[in-house]
Amino acid sequence: MKKAKNWHEQHNESLSFGSRLADKVATGMGSWRFIIIQTVIVAIWMLLNVIAFISHWDPYPFILLNLLFSTQAAYAAPIIMMAQNRQNERDRAQAQADYQTNIDAKLEIEALTEKLNAMEINKLDKILALLEEKEK
């Protein structure tokens, strides 16, 4: 028998390739690993351009490096915003699923309360009937 899919699995299956790629890029760019690797690359870039003996391909003030950062930011910002929008969609879907779970639980509790009340009334009626019989 196949297990029923929860809202998270259904949401993940509905994502397009581009959406999944954007999520992975945003996850990667938002990690310490990315920051450390980028910092090392920038430090090496600057160091090589400062101490280069023959050719400075990007001399101080590192205009090419700034251009690369600008290009990276121009692409990273929309990708990260797409990932954030999808996170908002996931949060809404989870909130809706939680709300539906709460409604279902409330209905179940109300039904159980009614059953318990009916059982209690039934028992009280039986006790009263026994007491009336005893008095006769």
Side-chain angles (χ1 to χ4, degrees), residues 18-19 21-31 34-35 38 67-86:
S19 296
L21 181 62
D23 284 345
K24 288 184 186 205
V25 168
T27 300
M29 292 185 83
S31 69
F34 175 80
I35 292 170
Q38 184 166 342
L67 178 64
L68 291 173
F69 278 142
S70 297
T71 304
Q72 178 188 20
Y75 283 100
I79 290 172
I80 290 168
M81 289 181 75
M82 286 188 290
Q84 286 177 337
N85 288 340
R86 269 188 302 290

Side-chain angles (χ1 to χ4, degrees), residues 3-13 97:
K3 182 182 167 194
K5 294 180 183 175
N6 62 26
W7 67 269
H8 187 44
E9 291 169 341
Q10 291 173 347
H11 178 77
N12 284 341
E13 286 181 1

